Amino acid sequence: MIQIKDLRKSFEELQVLKGVDTTFEKGKTSLIIGQSGSGKTVFMKCLVGLLEPDEGDIFYDDMNFTAMSVRQRTRVRKKMGMLFQGSALFDSLTVEENVIFPLEMFNKNMTKKEKLERAHFCLDRVNILNANHLYPAEISGGMKKRVAIARAIANSPDYLFCDEPNSGLDPQTAIVIDKLISEITKEFNITTVVNTHDMNSVMEIGDHVVFLYKGDLWWEGSSEEILTSQNKEVEDFVYASELMLKLKSQ
Amino acid sequence: MILFVKLFRESALFAWGSVVSNKLRTILTLLGITIGIFAIISVFSVVDALERQIRTSISSLGDNVIYVQKWPWEFSSDFAWWKYMNRPTPRPSETDEILRRTQVVEAAVFTASTSRTVEHLNRSIERVSILTASADYDKVRTFGLESGRYFSPTESAAGRNVAIIGSEIASGLFDDADPLGKNIKVFGRNLEVIGVFETEGDDTFGNSHDELVLVPLTYISSFIDVSSDRYNPAILALGRENFSNEELIDELRGTMRSIRSIKPAADDNFALNQTSLLSTQFDGVFAVLKLTGWIIGGFSILVGGFGIANIMFVSVKERTTIIGIQKALGAKNYFILIQFLSEAVLLSLMGGAIGLLLVFTGTWLASSVFGMDVLIQMSNVMLGVNVSVIIGLVAGFIPAWSAAQLNPVDAIRANT
């Protein structure tokens, strides 16, 4: 579980986060949504330590991340899985070796066989085990994303952060990836936070949705609730597309 | 390990791409290392060749031969010539005394030399070195005979008018004809040629037998004073096996002092020279030459080192995101450090390899086209490689360290 209390961040005169309070539950997929410039990227970066907040606290399972030393933060980071925008796989390594990489780095006590077994388990979980000996250049964008998910869960993380997991994917593949993230979150009881602006993702996997507007936590609730929200800014965001408008009118 | 090699390959390929796309920058960067390695290794190779040549020449004078002479072999600035100039010169009779009185001398020979015109019929060669030696010259100095024979004991003892001539003299006076049994004229007297020295080629000190005429001492001493200072007289004493040069010198000193009746407190009035003295004199010259090579090459390498450091800083900057992702996935600082250090070493080695290639080409040209005896030795190649590796490590350390110290969050932020 991740608790955020009164999180504030400014860049010179510009206040980007104006006191965000929320909680991301274990075993649930939480989505951060909002318009461009709403502060969701800054919020996500503060969560993983990319940026230092000016005020407020972030608790990882009751441990205050903002008050931790560098060494303590490193320990927490080991429990974080990261799904980078654009997959960020190492081109010179095979699919299997990409998944083994974090195991090599973090688990010195695991034998080679154990690492291989773990990598195969993760690849099997994302249904891409048959491509284990291929290189990133030889697989599709959707498959790369699966490999990136497998790599993110290789070290059995407690927290999974996904930055625009659907960027560059076709709608069909995007749904598959979204579902995969949601399934893994529940199956391994992970606290998952997804930064997205894709309403399809919200509808597919949003157990908990946080809507940021001009640096404020404007609205939060479930994916069902967002469709019926009377909040004008939420409505503007959700029904910005013609498709959503048609769905609403039906 | 395999993972590291593969990631290093990825880094190297990335760096290679940057190197290829900025050819001019790369060439200018590596030029310093190339010139530096070229300067150092080529100077070392030339010095080695020179050293080898000089040492071979010195050893041909005999490693275990002591030269009893008036003048010592010294080249220092505090050479006390006024002390030596009044010394007596060695005499043939002292050679016999040395042989009679010492236990450690295998053979001793008296030599003197001058230069004269040598004639045969209507042909003549001017300023030919005429060497005269007592009977055991063949035991003290190493040489071969192309044809004919050495002086017989009778010829040496009786002072027969015979001569052994160098190959250059033979071809100069007789062309392709056989000189054996024919007469040559030296000192206005006829000498019968009984042998021709094998061709040796010039050595560093001009000690070759190719351009000299060797005649028995007893023959020449009948009409010139071989002990005169202007004939450079010397006694060459060859030590017995199992005796060191120091033992030989000790015994020779005692014997010579006894022969010349020198009082216990008085200084020696002779010099005991050995070839190792010459080697020692040259050691200093070689050291200076090598130091010059280091200084010339060192400055180039320094410039090259700065170039590599620069290119590595650019490389780190360009790959900040990859570093961030690796670190976010758990890569330790040393893992990043080694990656970039290896890359810097690889770049430096490239520069060094080009430098070595130039030295190889140079030595090949020098030896095959100009006939010079220059070889690039394995030790020099290793030196070039080691210097390149060290420069790569030194130049790449700060950029690699800065890459390793990058905060993963900052590194990823660089591009997200």
Side-chain angles (χ1 to χ4, degrees):
Chain A
M1 185 174 70
I2 306 169
Q3 279 179 290
I4 295 103
K5 290 183 178 171
D6 195 27
L7 199 69
R8 292 169 191 272
K9 178 72 185 173
S10 299
F11 294 103
E12 294 178 356
E13 296 299 303
L14 183 67
Q15 223 181 343
V16 183
L17 294 177
K18 300 170 182 172
V20 177
D21 285 275
T22 189
T23 301
F24 300 130
E25 300 283 346
K26 223 176 178 63
K28 286 189 177 175
T29 308
S30 301
L31 276 74
I32 306 167
I33 60 169
Q35 292 170 330
S36 297
S38 59
K40 59 184 192 298
T41 304
V42 172
F43 180 50
M44 184 79 147
K45 284 178 177 177
C46 285
L47 285 186
V48 294
L50 278 165
L51 285 173
E52 207 59 46
D54 298 334
E55 282 177 57
D57 296 301
I58 302 163
F59 292 89
Y60 280 89
D61 290 321
D62 299 328
M63 292 179 295
N64 192 345
F65 187 66
T66 41
M68 282 179 189
S69 66
V70 175
R71 193 177 286 264
Q72 287 169 321
R73 281 189 179 201
T74 307
R75 277 203 287 273
V76 174
R77 276 207 195 98
K78 284 181 185 175
K79 296 179 184 175
M80 294 179 187
M82 305 235 189
L83 187 60
F84 302 101
Q85 193 176 12
S87 303
L89 300 179
F90 300 116
D91 293 335
S92 62
L93 304 183
T94 62
V95 161
E96 186 178 278
E97 287 164 345
N98 262 285
V99 180
I100 289 175
F101 184 86
L103 296 170
E104 287 273 359
M105 296 298 128
F106 279 130
N107 295 288
K108 299 289 179 197
N109 297 329
M110 275 176 98
T111 63
K112 202 174 174 181
K113 189 166 172 266
E114 284 170 338
K115 286 172 193 166
L116 194 66
E117 280 172 1
R118 176 68 189 166
H120 283 183
F121 169 80
C122 294
L123 287 170
D124 190 32
R125 181 61 196 84
V126 296
N127 302 316
I128 199 169
L129 183 58
N130 54 350
N132 62 333
H133 288 305
L134 297 178
Y135 285 90
E138 298 169 325
I139 58 177
S140 68
M143 288 165 90
K144 280 181 192 168
K145 204 65 88 174
R146 285 169 190 263
V147 178
I149 294 170
R151 186 173 70 179
I153 62 167
N155 267 321
S156 312
D158 289 340
Y159 321 102
L160 178 63
F161 296 95
C162 309
D163 187 20
E164 304 278 4
N166 293 333
S167 65
L169 297 180
D170 63 85
Q172 210 173 354
T173 311
I175 289 168
V176 173
I177 295 300
D178 279 341
K179 282 188 172 168
L180 196 55
I181 291 170
S182 178
E183 283 167 20
I184 282 169
T185 301
K186 288 179 174 57
E187 193 176 323
F188 300 115
N189 203 23
I190 303 171
T191 307
T192 298
V193 182
V194 180
N195 185 8
T196 186
H197 56 257
D198 184 355
M199 271 311 292
N200 281 338
S201 295
V202 174
M203 302 313 297
E204 287 290 343
I205 60 169
D207 297 325
H208 172 218
V209 183
V210 170
F211 178 76
L212 295 181
Y213 181 73
K214 292 183 178 173
D216 277 317
L217 195 155
W218 207 251
W219 181 91
E220 67 179 320
S222 68
S223 55
E224 290 82 19
E225 287 167 343
I226 201 168
L227 292 175
T228 54
S229 169
Q230 299 300 304
N231 187 304
K232 186 183 174 303
E233 282 73 25
V234 174
E235 272 191 301
D236 287 348
F237 179 81
V238 172
Y239 298 108
S241 75
E242 289 294 322
L243 178 67
M244 290 300 287
L245 272 175
K246 276 183 189 170
L247 285 173
K248 190 183 181 187
S249 61
Q250 285 169 7
Chain B
M1 191 60 194
I2 294 167
L3 206 64
F4 173 78
V5 171
K6 286 201 167 190
L7 279 169
F8 170 70
R9 187 175 153 268
E10 182 165 288
S11 293
L13 283 175
F14 202 99
W16 180 251
S18 157
V19 160
V20 170
S21 60
N22 300 289
K23 284 190 191 72
L24 188 64
R25 185 184 74 179
T26 309
I27 289 168
L28 291 174
T29 304
L30 299 185
L31 206 59
I33 303 289
T34 301
I35 293 172
I37 294 295
F38 174 75
I40 292 174
I41 305 305
S42 55
V43 167
F44 274 41
S45 295
V46 169
V47 168
D48 278 353
L50 217 77
E51 201 171 350
R52 203 170 46 249
Q53 215 173 331
I54 287 173
R55 294 210 190 285
T56 311
S57 301
I58 288 172
S59 68
S60 75
L61 297 174
D63 287 332
N64 54 346
V65 174
I66 303 299
Y67 288 68
V68 183
Q69 288 172 301
K70 177 176 170 176
W71 300 92
W73 294 348
E74 264 182 41
F75 307 102
S76 59
S77 54
D78 54 352
F79 185 72
W81 56 270
W82 57 91
K83 273 168 63 181
Y84 309 132
M85 66 180 296
N86 292 323
R87 285 176 167 183
T89 51
R91 309 188 65 79
S93 58
E94 286 173 338
T95 315
D96 301 334
E97 283 300 312
I98 287 173
L99 273 173
R100 199 168 61 79
R101 296 190 194 191
T102 58
Q103 303 296 317
V104 300
V105 175
E106 172 77 32
V109 58
F110 182 91
T111 65
S113 60
T114 183
S115 108
R116 288 283 189 280
T117 301
V118 181
E119 298 166 61
H120 172 68
L121 300 177
N122 58 346
R123 289 193 176 188
S124 67
I125 304 172
E126 289 179 350
R127 289 190 295 280
V128 174
S129 183
I130 312 296
L131 178 71
T132 181
S134 52
D136 286 343
Y137 182 74
D138 60 334
K139 291 179 185 151
V140 176
R141 287 294 302 271
T142 315
F143 59 84
L145 291 175
E146 197 174 278
S147 61
R149 58 178 175 80
Y150 186 65
F151 309 129
S152 69
T154 321
E155 284 165 344
S156 288
R160 285 259 337 258
N161 56 333
V162 287
I164 301 170
I165 60 172
S167 55
E168 292 283 320
I169 307 296
S171 61
L173 293 179
F174 301 98
D175 287 334
D176 294 332
D178 185 6
L180 294 183
K182 296 191 173 70
N183 282 342
I184 55 169
K185 193 175 263 187
V186 191
F187 306 107
R189 295 158 190 250
N190 281 327
L191 291 170
E192 185 192 341
V193 178
I194 62 160
V196 178
F197 288 111
E198 266 178 10
T199 307
E200 292 176 350
D202 272 343
D203 78 350
T204 318
F205 305 113
N207 275 316
S208 155
H209 285 92
D210 294 352
E211 294 174 39
L212 65 76
V213 173
L214 180 66
V215 287
L217 177 71
T218 35
Y219 171 71
I220 280 197
S221 57
S222 63
F223 55 89
I224 64 169
D225 178 13
V226 288
S227 292
S228 166
D229 210 358
R230 61 190 173 128
Y231 297 127
N232 192 27
I235 299 168
L236 279 61
L238 172 74
R240 283 186 197 280
E241 268 183 51
N242 306 324
F243 286 99
S244 68
N245 279 7
E246 284 69 34
E247 288 171 303
L248 182 60
I249 285 173
D250 280 349
E251 188 151 339
L252 278 173
R253 174 165 289 119
T255 308
M256 281 302 291
R257 288 180 70 90
S258 154
I259 292 168
R260 293 188 176 180
S261 306
I262 299 170
K263 287 181 181 151
D267 289 337
D268 292 345
N269 61 0
F270 53 87
L272 297 173
N273 297 317
Q274 55 180 328
T275 52
S276 63
L277 278 177
L278 286 174
S279 309
T280 318
Q281 305 282 347
F282 279 103
D283 284 346
V285 178
F286 294 139
V288 169
L289 284 174
K290 285 190 174 179
L291 183 68
T292 311
W294 273 114
I295 291 171
I296 296 168
F299 278 110
S300 283
I301 284 179
L302 192 70
V303 174
F306 282 123
I308 285 185
N310 180 44
I311 214 170
M312 287 310 298
F313 273 120
V314 173
S315 189
V316 170
K317 189 83 185 159
E318 283 174 344
R319 279 183 284 163
T320 305
T321 310
I322 290 179
I323 297 167
I325 291 167
Q326 285 188 10
K327 293 195 86 172
L329 291 172
K332 296 279 189 297
N333 288 0
Y334 73 86
F335 187 85
I336 309 289
L337 184 85
I338 293 172
Q339 262 186 70
F340 281 90
L341 268 186
S342 312
E343 194 181 312
V345 169
L346 205 69
L347 273 172
S348 186
L349 272 175
M350 268 171 65
I354 299 169
L356 284 174
L357 204 71
L358 288 177
V359 181
F360 271 116
T361 314
T363 51
W364 178 79
L365 277 175
S367 57
S368 63
V369 179
F370 302 108
M372 290 165 71
D373 180 27
V374 187
L375 280 172
I376 181 163
Q377 291 189 332
M378 199 55 204
S379 58
N380 284 336
V381 174
M382 289 315 293
L383 179 75
V385 170
N386 288 342
V387 168
S388 303
V389 169
I390 290 167
I391 292 302
L393 284 174
V394 172
F397 185 77
I398 295 175
W401 179 258
S402 69
Q405 294 304 309
L406 275 176
N407 188 328
V409 291
D410 293 333
I412 296 169
R413 188 168 55 189
N415 208 26
T416 53

